[in-house]
Amino acid sequence: MNIMDFNVKKLAADAGTFLSRAVQFTEEKLGQAEKTELDAHLENLLSKAECTKIWTEKIMKQTEVLLQPNPNARIEEFVYEKLDRKAPSRINNPELLGQYMIDAGTEFGPGTAYGNALIKCGETQKRIGTADRELIQTSALNFLTPLRNFIEGDYKTIAKERKLLQNKRLDLDAAKTRLKKAKAAETRASSEQELRITQSEFDRQAEITRLLLEGISSTHAHHLRCLNDFVEAQMTYYAQCYQYMLDLQKQLGSFPSIYHCNNNQTSVAPIPSASSNVIGSSASTSTSGLVITSPSNLTDLKECSGNRKARVLYDYDAANSTELSLLADEVITVFSVIGMDSDWLMGERGNQKGRVPITYLELLN
């Protein structure tokens, strides 16, 4: 027998097997043939594996969306991964925002209050961007990769063996059907031999499938460890971001935290930071002959009727005609007025007069 004859006979046998399975499957669907049921334990394992696959896919895809919200970037990363090439480094959103803030602050002038604040905020945003990049890398390595390995590796093997089990079951039931239809003794003997062979192959495949499916419990345990790694990575990321913002808040502590809206008919004075506002600090600090005034000194000033000189810390636009616009670094005269809100003083510059917020001032000796 040459190779061609062998291949032809093999193809004919495969075609016969396929046809037999198709007939058996169709008759089962029509209720014209009996179906061998899998044992309850194996059915539960198959259901557990399918459930694990469905939810693992959903969690994996949504985690990818969380870490990289840009769908185009995700597609690009997917293509590079399939090509087994490293995706080019891309600046992320916090880093881009940080760079814009730094560039703007530099152009406005690092010596100005707003420019200096922009630069500090920009530097913090870039640190957050770096932390974001580390979160993505750590999560991809310790969480997404194991999930993907299960979907593309372990579960594909399970699905392959499950399909093979389904075919062996169809072969078994087809053999049972042929045995029932056999009438001649010779035909029955052949059918019984076929049934024993198909039953043995089915039992063997059921055992192989069962062993693979019982590994799902180990998969769950592994994914639990990966989940802990993911939570730890998120915890580290948010702790870093929180610390960065705390440091930034301390750096900007001397800046007013609430600004005026020019559309308001009535204005509320900016509220200084509780910890480090220049005027709201708990002690007076002398710098180049200037005194940063404590709340007690402000109270004394409001209770007296005398005038004091004050340096303006930041630009301020008057919200209405009762207020006085201010320019950073100018020196004006301030005094208290009975009945005025405690966060305001009356300011005077030449023949101009109006209310000014105390958080924008540095009282001079």
Side-chain angles (χ1 to χ4, degrees):
M1 180 187 299
N2 57 35
I3 296 177
M4 184 174 291
D5 291 340
F6 176 79
N7 290 337
V8 169
K9 289 186 176 182
K10 186 176 186 302
L11 288 173
D14 290 343
T17 301
F18 177 79
L19 180 60
S20 174
R21 291 170 180 169
V23 171
Q24 177 65 28
F25 182 79
T26 303
E27 290 180 349
E28 287 176 0
K29 290 297 182 182
L30 296 175
Q32 298 174 356
E34 294 182 2
K35 175 182 177 181
T36 299
E37 299 293 340
L38 302 177
D39 65 80
H41 177 60
L42 188 55
E43 286 285 5
N44 287 336
L45 290 176
L46 287 169
S47 177
K48 184 178 181 180
E50 183 66 19
C51 182
T52 301
K53 179 250 186 184
I54 291 172
W55 284 111
T56 299
E57 283 184 330
K58 289 183 177 182
I59 292 171
M60 183 177 69
K61 290 178 180 179
Q62 192 56 40
T63 303
E64 290 173 344
V65 172
L66 173 68
L67 297 176
Q68 177 51 269
N70 187 337
N72 294 329
R74 290 201 303 276
I75 293 174
E76 181 182 349
E77 291 171 357
F78 175 80
V79 171
Y80 274 99
E81 181 181 347
K82 291 303 178 183
L83 295 175
D84 197 20
R85 293 174 57 187
K86 185 178 180 181
S89 180
R90 181 190 297 104
I91 187 170
N92 57 33
N93 290 330
E95 290 173 332
L96 184 59
L97 174 60
Q99 191 58 54
Y100 284 165
M101 286 182 168
I102 291 173
D103 292 344
T106 302
E107 186 164 345
F108 293 153
T112 65
Y114 184 43
N116 187 28
L118 277 172
I119 292 174
K120 293 182 186 300
C121 290
E123 291 171 347
T124 299
Q125 289 296 328
K126 295 188 79 169
R127 292 192 188 98
I128 291 175
T130 300
D132 186 66
R133 193 182 301 278
E134 292 173 354
L135 171 65
I136 293 174
Q137 293 174 347
T138 303
S139 300
L141 179 64
N142 297 336
F143 186 60
L144 287 177
T145 297
L147 298 187
R148 188 176 292 108
N149 288 342
F150 167 73
I151 296 297
E152 298 179 356
D154 295 349
Y155 188 79
K156 278 190 176 181
T157 302
I158 290 174
K160 178 182 176 181
E161 297 299 330
R162 181 178 183 176
K163 183 178 180 181
L164 190 56
L165 176 63
Q166 171 73 353
N167 290 337
K168 295 299 182 183
R169 200 271 307 162
L170 289 171
D171 292 342
L172 174 62
D173 289 336
K176 290 178 178 179
T177 301
R178 282 191 290 271
L179 179 60
K180 287 182 179 180
K181 293 179 179 179
K183 296 182 179 179
E186 183 179 346
T187 306
R188 284 190 64 84
S190 174
S191 297
E192 288 174 353
Q193 176 67 17
E194 180 188 13
L195 178 60
R196 284 193 293 271
I197 293 173
T198 54
Q199 181 71 59
S200 174
E201 290 179 348
F202 171 77
D203 292 341
R204 178 176 177 275
Q205 186 58 39
E207 180 65 15
I208 292 173
T209 306
R210 181 185 64 79
L211 291 174
L212 284 172
L213 290 171
E214 287 177 345
I216 291 294
S217 296
S218 298
T219 298
H220 284 191
H222 178 51
H223 288 182
L224 174 59
R225 292 192 295 270
C226 296
L227 180 62
N228 286 332
D229 290 340
F230 178 55
V231 170
E232 185 175 344
Q234 283 188 305
M235 182 182 68
T236 300
Y237 168 73
Y238 289 119
Q240 285 178 322
C241 293
Y242 178 69
Q243 187 59 51
Y244 291 153
M245 298 312 295
L246 276 181
D247 294 341
L248 177 62
Q249 186 183 48
K250 291 177 182 178
Q251 293 180 56
L252 301 182
S254 60
F255 290 80
S257 58
I258 297 180
Y259 294 90
H260 291 259
C261 175
N262 289 334
N263 294 328
N264 291 344
Q265 295 302 315
T266 60
S267 57
V268 179
I271 300 175
S273 167
S275 60
S276 57
N277 184 277
V278 172
I279 294 183
S281 60
S282 60
S284 299
T285 304
S286 177
T287 306
S288 301
L290 303 182
V291 176
I292 301 174
T293 311
S294 66
S296 60
N297 290 337
L298 284 175
T299 302
D300 294 340
L301 173 63
K302 286 189 159 298
E303 291 176 351
C304 73
S305 58
N307 296 345
R308 294 285 297 273
K309 293 291 184 180
R311 183 173 69 86
V312 178
L313 296 173
Y314 321 105
D315 292 346
Y316 173 71
D317 294 326
N320 52 54
S321 59
T322 67
E323 297 178 7
L324 181 66
S325 294
L326 303 173
L327 294 174
D329 295 327
E330 71 172 325
V331 177
I332 63 173
T333 301
V334 294
F335 55 92
S336 62
V337 175
I338 297 176
M340 182 178 290
D341 189 282
S342 61
D343 292 328
W344 295 82
L345 291 172
M346 186 62 70
E348 190 175 67
R349 182 202 305 113
N351 59 356
Q352 295 179 319
K353 186 183 298 185
R355 298 192 308 154
V356 293
I358 62 173
T359 51
Y360 281 66
L361 304 175
E362 183 179 55
L363 296 179
L364 307 179
N365 278 338

